[in-house]
Amino acid sequence: MPPKLPAPSFEVVRHTLDNGLRVLVSPDRSAPVVGIAVLYDVGFRSEPEGRTGFAHLFEHLMFQGSVTLEKLEHFRYVESSGGTFNGSTHFDYTNYFEALPANALERGLFLEADRMRGPRITEENLANQLEVVKNEIRVNVLNAPYGGFPWIQLPAVLFDTFANSHNGYGGFEDLENATTADASDFFQRYYAPGNAVLTVAGDLDADTTMALIEQHFGDIRKRRTPKRPSFAEPALTAERRGTHPDPRAPIPAVAIGYRVPDPVAELAALLGMVLLSEVLTDGDASRLQRRLVQQDRLVTDVSAYVGEFGDPFDERDPTALTISAHYPPSTQLDVLLSTIDEELARVAEGGLERGELDRVRTRLVGVWLRELDAVLSRTLEFAKFELVHGRAELLAELPERLAAVTAEDVQRAAATLRPDNRAVLELVAGGAQ
């Protein structure tokens, strides 16, 4: 009998506007705060060849003024209301969001609707945001030890198509070749209301909020919604290897990417992978922590996670389970890889220890529920599950679905993590020389 895990209970009211915008409203009167999130179904994978990094650059442009607001006015309206805001670009979507006092709800809806009508795309705005993005890359990638490792470099070894394998941060040459015409076309193509999900949660009345959404978003012109292509790739049939020189890294590192089931179509199998990743590296009692760090002392740290950014529900197919580690120069990479293979075989052939699955599952659900306490986090999760998985309600069902995963499911997941189903990216350190 599966264990009983605590599950959240949320009220979700949904509606689709005439222009195609999908709307979710979730009342929660526990605190006088509201969260607003708009997710557009466009991310790194949608970038055309020759325009790497464009989805992220365009996210920056969306903060540079809109139809009726000058540059920085969006910032001032949110901050003067006591709120916070941001945006981020992912493999399959781009999000924009605010957390505001409940009495500033309409202000936040106006701001996002005005931005959806059209950003202020000018040569000046493009030029200054190009420099901002290039500096971000310099700080976070080019001049930082282990910068972007492994999410930037591993896909190029693990995947074949441009959509899945290219650098989402972008190369300077591609970024510098971007034009205002490119930006206008990108907006027209991907930022249609029908290609977005608007979620509002917190201290609100659902009917009143729906009326405000209709008032502010309802007259935005309906446009053709792009058909998202399948980005699926054939399974691997042989191990792949690559190297990444890092002149600033003090010690070597490795990232091992394994292809995993389709997160949307094969969610049950994916959840087995998620729990396997917890069994491998969650805490001092985990398999790889005990073997690699404590016993054999082959690595200084090790982590395992599903999804390029560590969120297993953030992406559609294809995605990966990644095992990454930093290790001293005295460790031989092939010895490290064979030791990991031994531990995966122990799970696949010998099963789990008594109580091992319940331990990691209970902790995983506990951490996840704590994250949902924050209104803005919950708002973003609703929007993400609606956009990526087609059902925001899945958010409340996850504890039950995780409870249904058996030790045998985790064993089967481990059995697929074979050398012929992986890509190995070796980071060659130069910082200690």
Short mmCIF file of all heavy atoms in Angstrom, two decimals, residues 380-410:
data_model
loop_
_atom_site.label_atom_id
_atom_site.label_comp_id
_atom_site.label_asym_id
_atom_site.label_seq_id
_atom_site.Cartn_x
_atom_site.Cartn_y
_atom_site.Cartn_z
N LEU A 380 3.89 30.89 -9.96
CA LEU A 380 4.77 30.44 -11.05
C LEU A 380 4.60 28.94 -11.31
O LEU A 380 4.63 28.50 -12.47
CB LEU A 380 6.22 30.76 -10.72
CG LEU A 380 6.61 32.24 -10.82
CD1 LEU A 380 7.93 32.50 -10.11
CD2 LEU A 380 6.68 32.67 -12.28
N GLU A 381 4.42 28.16 -10.25
CA GLU A 381 4.25 26.73 -10.43
C GLU A 381 2.93 26.41 -11.14
O GLU A 381 2.88 25.55 -12.03
CB GLU A 381 4.31 26.01 -9.07
CG GLU A 381 5.68 25.98 -8.44
CD GLU A 381 6.66 25.15 -9.25
OE1 GLU A 381 6.47 23.93 -9.36
OE2 GLU A 381 7.61 25.73 -9.81
N PHE A 382 1.86 27.10 -10.75
CA PHE A 382 0.59 26.91 -11.45
C PHE A 382 0.76 27.17 -12.95
O PHE A 382 0.32 26.38 -13.80
CB PHE A 382 -0.47 27.87 -10.91
CG PHE A 382 -1.19 27.38 -9.68
CD1 PHE A 382 -1.36 28.20 -8.58
CD2 PHE A 382 -1.73 26.10 -9.64
CE1 PHE A 382 -2.03 27.76 -7.45
CE2 PHE A 382 -2.41 25.66 -8.51
CZ PHE A 382 -2.56 26.49 -7.41
N ALA A 383 1.38 28.30 -13.27
CA ALA A 383 1.54 28.68 -14.68
C ALA A 383 2.42 27.68 -15.41
O ALA A 383 2.13 27.30 -16.56
CB ALA A 383 2.13 30.09 -14.77
N LYS A 384 3.48 27.22 -14.78
CA LYS A 384 4.40 26.27 -15.42
C LYS A 384 3.70 24.94 -15.70
O LYS A 384 3.81 24.39 -16.80
CB LYS A 384 5.61 26.03 -14.53
CG LYS A 384 6.62 25.03 -15.08
CD LYS A 384 7.71 24.75 -14.07
CE LYS A 384 7.20 23.90 -12.93
NZ LYS A 384 8.24 23.63 -11.92
N PHE A 385 2.97 24.42 -14.72
CA PHE A 385 2.30 23.14 -14.93
C PHE A 385 1.20 23.25 -15.98
O PHE A 385 0.97 22.31 -16.74
CB PHE A 385 1.76 22.60 -13.61
CG PHE A 385 2.77 21.82 -12.81
CD1 PHE A 385 3.52 22.44 -11.82
CD2 PHE A 385 3.01 20.49 -13.08
CE1 PHE A 385 4.48 21.74 -11.10
CE2 PHE A 385 3.96 19.78 -12.37
CZ PHE A 385 4.69 20.40 -11.37
N GLU A 386 0.54 24.39 -16.02
CA GLU A 386 -0.49 24.58 -17.04
C GLU A 386 0.13 24.65 -18.43
O GLU A 386 -0.37 24.05 -19.39
CB GLU A 386 -1.28 25.86 -16.75
CG GLU A 386 -2.42 26.13 -17.71
CD GLU A 386 -3.61 25.19 -17.54
OE1 GLU A 386 -3.70 24.51 -16.49
OE2 GLU A 386 -4.46 25.13 -18.45
N LEU A 387 1.24 25.36 -18.56
CA LEU A 387 1.86 25.55 -19.87
C LEU A 387 2.57 24.28 -20.34
O LEU A 387 2.38 23.83 -21.48
CB LEU A 387 2.85 26.71 -19.83
CG LEU A 387 3.48 27.07 -21.17
CD1 LEU A 387 2.46 27.75 -22.08
CD2 LEU A 387 4.69 27.98 -20.97
N VAL A 388 3.41 23.71 -19.50
CA VAL A 388 4.25 22.59 -19.90
C VAL A 388 3.47 21.27 -19.89
O VAL A 388 3.58 20.46 -20.81
CB VAL A 388 5.50 22.48 -19.00
CG1 VAL A 388 6.32 21.24 -19.35
CG2 VAL A 388 6.36 23.74 -19.13
N HIS A 389 2.67 21.06 -18.84
CA HIS A 389 1.99 19.78 -18.67
C HIS A 389 0.51 19.81 -19.00
O HIS A 389 -0.15 18.77 -19.00
CB HIS A 389 2.19 19.29 -17.23
CG HIS A 389 3.61 18.97 -16.89
ND1 HIS A 389 4.15 17.72 -17.02
CD2 HIS A 389 4.62 19.77 -16.45
CE1 HIS A 389 5.42 17.75 -16.67
NE2 HIS A 389 5.74 18.98 -16.33
N GLY A 390 -0.02 21.02 -19.26
CA GLY A 390 -1.41 21.12 -19.66
C GLY A 390 -2.42 21.10 -18.55
O GLY A 390 -3.62 21.25 -18.78
N ARG A 391 -1.94 20.96 -17.29
CA ARG A 391 -2.86 20.88 -16.15
C ARG A 391 -2.21 21.47 -14.91
O ARG A 391 -1.31 20.85 -14.31
CB ARG A 391 -3.27 19.44 -15.85
CG ARG A 391 -4.11 18.76 -16.92
CD ARG A 391 -4.54 17.36 -16.48
NE ARG A 391 -5.35 17.40 -15.27
CZ ARG A 391 -4.97 16.94 -14.09
NH1 ARG A 391 -3.77 16.42 -13.94
NH2 ARG A 391 -5.79 16.98 -13.07
N ALA A 392 -2.67 22.63 -14.49
CA ALA A 392 -2.16 23.21 -13.25
C ALA A 392 -2.51 22.34 -12.04
O ALA A 392 -1.78 22.32 -11.05
CB ALA A 392 -2.74 24.61 -13.06
N GLU A 393 -3.60 21.58 -12.14
CA GLU A 393 -4.04 20.74 -11.02
C GLU A 393 -3.02 19.66 -10.67
O GLU A 393 -3.04 19.10 -9.57
CB GLU A 393 -5.38 20.09 -11.35
CG GLU A 393 -6.55 21.05 -11.39
CD GLU A 393 -6.66 21.82 -12.69
OE1 GLU A 393 -5.84 21.59 -13.61
OE2 GLU A 393 -7.57 22.66 -12.80
N LEU A 394 -2.15 19.35 -11.62
CA LEU A 394 -1.11 18.35 -11.36
C LEU A 394 -0.25 18.75 -10.17
O LEU A 394 0.30 17.89 -9.47
CB LEU A 394 -0.25 18.18 -12.61
CG LEU A 394 0.83 17.11 -12.59
CD1 LEU A 394 0.25 15.73 -12.32
CD2 LEU A 394 1.59 17.11 -13.92
N LEU A 395 -0.17 20.05 -9.93
CA LEU A 395 0.60 20.55 -8.79
C LEU A 395 0.14 19.92 -7.48
O LEU A 395 0.96 19.53 -6.64
CB LEU A 395 0.44 22.07 -8.72
CG LEU A 395 1.31 22.87 -7.76
CD1 LEU A 395 2.76 22.77 -8.14
CD2 LEU A 395 0.87 24.33 -7.73
N ALA A 396 -1.17 19.79 -7.29
CA ALA A 396 -1.71 19.23 -6.06
C ALA A 396 -1.68 17.70 -6.05
O ALA A 396 -1.79 17.07 -5.00
CB ALA A 396 -3.14 19.71 -5.85
N GLU A 397 -1.52 17.10 -7.23
CA GLU A 397 -1.54 15.64 -7.34
C GLU A 397 -0.17 15.00 -7.18
O GLU A 397 -0.07 13.77 -7.03
CB GLU A 397 -2.13 15.23 -8.70
CG GLU A 397 -3.54 15.69 -8.93
CD GLU A 397 -3.99 15.51 -10.37
OE1 GLU A 397 -3.21 14.92 -11.16
OE2 GLU A 397 -5.10 15.95 -10.72
N LEU A 398 0.89 15.79 -7.23
CA LEU A 398 2.23 15.22 -7.23
C LEU A 398 2.54 14.35 -6.01
O LEU A 398 3.15 13.28 -6.16
CB LEU A 398 3.28 16.32 -7.38
CG LEU A 398 3.57 16.76 -8.81
CD1 LEU A 398 4.59 17.87 -8.83
CD2 LEU A 398 4.06 15.60 -9.67
N PRO A 399 2.17 14.76 -4.77
CA PRO A 399 2.46 13.87 -3.65
C PRO A 399 1.85 12.48 -3.82
O PRO A 399 2.52 11.46 -3.55
CB PRO A 399 1.85 14.61 -2.46
CG PRO A 399 1.93 16.05 -2.83
CD PRO A 399 1.64 16.06 -4.30
N GLU A 400 0.60 12.42 -4.29
CA GLU A 400 -0.03 11.11 -4.49
C GLU A 400 0.69 10.33 -5.59
O GLU A 400 0.88 9.11 -5.47
CB GLU A 400 -1.50 11.32 -4.87
CG GLU A 400 -2.26 10.02 -5.08
CD GLU A 400 -3.72 10.24 -5.46
OE1 GLU A 400 -4.13 11.42 -5.54
OE2 GLU A 400 -4.43 9.23 -5.67
N ARG A 401 1.08 11.01 -6.63
CA ARG A 401 1.78 10.32 -7.72
C ARG A 401 3.17 9.84 -7.28
O ARG A 401 3.62 8.76 -7.68
CB ARG A 401 1.89 11.23 -8.94
CG ARG A 401 0.52 11.57 -9.52
CD ARG A 401 0.64 12.06 -10.93
NE ARG A 401 -0.66 12.36 -11.51
CZ ARG A 401 -0.94 12.29 -12.79
NH1 ARG A 401 -0.01 11.92 -13.65
NH2 ARG A 401 -2.15 12.59 -13.25
N LEU A 402 3.85 10.64 -6.47
CA LEU A 402 5.14 10.20 -5.94
C LEU A 402 4.97 9.02 -5.00
O LEU A 402 5.80 8.12 -4.96
CB LEU A 402 5.83 11.36 -5.22
CG LEU A 402 6.45 12.42 -6.13
CD1 LEU A 402 6.79 13.68 -5.34
CD2 LEU A 402 7.71 11.89 -6.82
N ALA A 403 3.87 9.04 -4.22
CA ALA A 403 3.61 7.93 -3.30
C ALA A 403 3.39 6.62 -4.05
O ALA A 403 3.65 5.53 -3.52
CB ALA A 403 2.40 8.25 -2.43
N ALA A 404 2.91 6.71 -5.28
CA ALA A 404 2.64 5.51 -6.07
C ALA A 404 3.90 4.90 -6.68
O ALA A 404 3.86 3.77 -7.18
CB ALA A 404 1.64 5.83 -7.18
N VAL A 405 5.01 5.62 -6.65
CA VAL A 405 6.26 5.09 -7.19
C VAL A 405 6.80 4.01 -6.25
O VAL A 405 6.93 4.24 -5.04
CB VAL A 405 7.30 6.21 -7.37
CG1 VAL A 405 8.62 5.63 -7.88
CG2 VAL A 405 6.78 7.26 -8.34
N THR A 406 7.11 2.86 -6.77
CA THR A 406 7.59 1.75 -5.96
C THR A 406 9.11 1.63 -6.04
O THR A 406 9.76 2.21 -6.92
CB THR A 406 6.97 0.43 -6.44
OG1 THR A 406 7.46 0.14 -7.77
CG2 THR A 406 5.44 0.53 -6.46
N ALA A 407 9.65 0.81 -5.13
CA ALA A 407 11.09 0.53 -5.16
C ALA A 407 11.48 -0.13 -6.48
O ALA A 407 12.56 0.12 -7.02
CB ALA A 407 11.47 -0.35 -3.98
N GLU A 408 10.57 -0.95 -7.03
CA GLU A 408 10.84 -1.60 -8.31
C GLU A 408 10.90 -0.57 -9.44
O GLU A 408 11.68 -0.73 -10.38
CB GLU A 408 9.78 -2.65 -8.59
CG GLU A 408 9.84 -3.89 -7.70
CD GLU A 408 9.34 -3.60 -6.28
OE1 GLU A 408 8.55 -2.63 -6.11
OE2 GLU A 408 9.74 -4.34 -5.36
N ASP A 409 10.08 0.48 -9.35
CA ASP A 409 10.14 1.54 -10.35
C ASP A 409 11.50 2.23 -10.33
O ASP A 409 12.06 2.56 -11.38
CB ASP A 409 9.04 2.58 -10.08
CG ASP A 409 7.64 2.03 -10.31
OD1 ASP A 409 7.48 1.13 -11.16
OD2 ASP A 409 6.71 2.50 -9.62
N VAL A 410 12.03 2.44 -9.14
CA VAL A 410 13.34 3.08 -9.02
C VAL A 410 14.43 2.15 -9.54
O VAL A 410 15.37 2.60 -10.20
CB VAL A 410 13.60 3.49 -7.55
CG1 VAL A 410 15.01 4.07 -7.39
CG2 VAL A 410 12.56 4.50 -7.08
#
